[in-house]
Amino acid sequence: MFEHDIMSAKENQATRSGIIKQLWEDFSMIAYVNGIIDEITEDNAVIDVNGIGYNVKISADTASRLPGMGEPVKLYTYTCVREDAFQLYGFLTRNDLEIFKKLITVNGIGPKGGLAILSVMDADDLRFAIMSGDAKAISKAPGIGAKTAQRVILDLKDKISIDDTLINREIETTATGNPLKIDTPQKKEAIEALMSLGYGQAESAKAVNAIEDIENMDSGAILKAALKKMF
């Protein structure tokens, strides 16, 4: 009798594991949901897709940037399947989704912690905080202490680079309308150094972009010239 109960328990566990695996295989194929906003709260959105309402967990930042009720929206999703829950996490850009997926690889940062961090800063601000070692900025997220913030920096600093950020694209235009392009390693290193000194990403990019005859300068010379532009 006892042995039979043990075997039954093992069979039930195997069945549950099989169901969870099948759910994961079925729902991990959901790359995004594209539909009409039916409901928005600080941490959740209901998206009506052809008459079916999908509950999608979102960050406070995403909630603030969503269009109004009844408006169309596309959310890129991450699927979390556990024995007791199935949940979609949604983001307005692939950029936000990718940094979220990196965040939840950090020990102690689950999906809830990942959303908390992305509620107080966007993906690019987080990357810059990691690159500059700014644990204080990361620890502003609810439930994220100083030690956890340091772990985020330690675990992810080698997995991201300035190339991952909008700064490597045309993130801003100057007064003359010329795009800010950070297209050389020397420029990137100088910007990273400026950010480590506490300057913002756009401010650093503008200073570097304003330097004349920059083509033959190394990163140290660019940094010195950019600092002069700051004062």
Side-chain angles (χ1 to χ4, degrees):
M1 179 75 175
F2 181 69
E3 291 181 355
H4 179 268
D5 290 341
I6 293 177
M7 290 297 294
S8 295
K10 287 182 178 179
E11 289 174 358
N12 289 336
Q13 181 64 39
T15 300
R16 287 196 297 269
S17 297
I19 292 172
I20 292 170
K21 181 180 179 181
Q22 186 61 51
L23 280 171
W24 173 257
E25 291 173 350
D26 290 344
F27 289 105
S28 62
M29 294 185 295
I30 301 177
Y32 59 82
V33 293
N34 193 350
I36 304 299
I37 299 176
D38 186 71
E39 181 182 329
I40 305 173
T41 64
E42 185 177 356
D43 65 352
N44 192 81
V46 178
I47 311 301
D48 184 332
V49 181
N50 297 324
I52 299 176
Y54 289 87
N55 272 308
V56 184
K57 289 293 181 184
I58 55 175
S59 69
D61 178 66
T62 296
S64 70
R65 293 188 287 130
L66 286 175
M69 300 283 289
E71 295 293 326
V73 71
K74 182 178 183 178
L75 292 177
Y76 298 94
T77 57
Y78 171 82
T79 307
C80 180
V81 178
R82 295 179 178 170
E83 188 167 342
D84 59 347
F86 161 69
Q87 186 64 62
L88 289 174
Y89 293 83
F91 307 88
L92 284 169
T93 68
R94 288 191 178 92
N95 190 31
D96 289 340
L97 173 60
E98 290 308 312
I99 196 66
F100 173 80
K101 288 162 71 175
K102 285 184 171 68
L103 271 174
I104 61 176
T105 66
V106 177
N107 186 33
I109 301 288
K112 184 178 179 180
L115 283 189
I117 292 173
L118 291 174
S119 289
V120 299
M121 58 177 60
D122 65 23
D124 288 324
D125 287 337
L126 175 58
R127 286 190 177 97
F128 283 117
I130 292 169
M131 287 189 290
S132 61
D134 191 355
K136 185 176 180 180
I138 298 172
S139 63
K140 289 180 181 179
I144 304 298
K147 289 184 178 179
T148 302
Q150 288 288 359
R151 191 181 303 123
V152 169
I153 293 169
L154 183 64
D155 286 4
L156 298 184
K157 66 180 180 179
D158 294 328
K159 298 179 181 178
I160 63 173
S161 73
I162 203 167
D163 295 316
D164 296 324
T165 67
L166 292 180
I167 206 167
N168 197 44
R169 307 173 210 166
E170 298 173 6
I171 62 170
E172 200 169 307
T173 57
T174 61
T176 60
N178 295 321
L180 296 182
K181 289 188 177 180
I182 311 305
D183 51 5
T184 69
Q186 292 82 5
K187 290 181 183 180
K188 294 171 186 175
E189 289 172 8
I191 290 172
E192 288 176 348
L194 287 168
M195 288 168 43
S196 71
L197 295 174
Y199 295 102
Q201 70 177 80
E203 184 181 17
S204 300
K206 283 182 179 180
V208 168
N209 192 68
I211 299 171
E212 297 178 358
D213 301 321
I214 197 173
E215 288 75 14
N216 297 320
M217 298 171 67
D218 62 21
S219 57
I222 295 174
L223 175 60
K224 290 178 182 179
L227 284 169
K228 290 180 181 179
K229 299 287 184 181
M230 299 289 194
F231 296 101

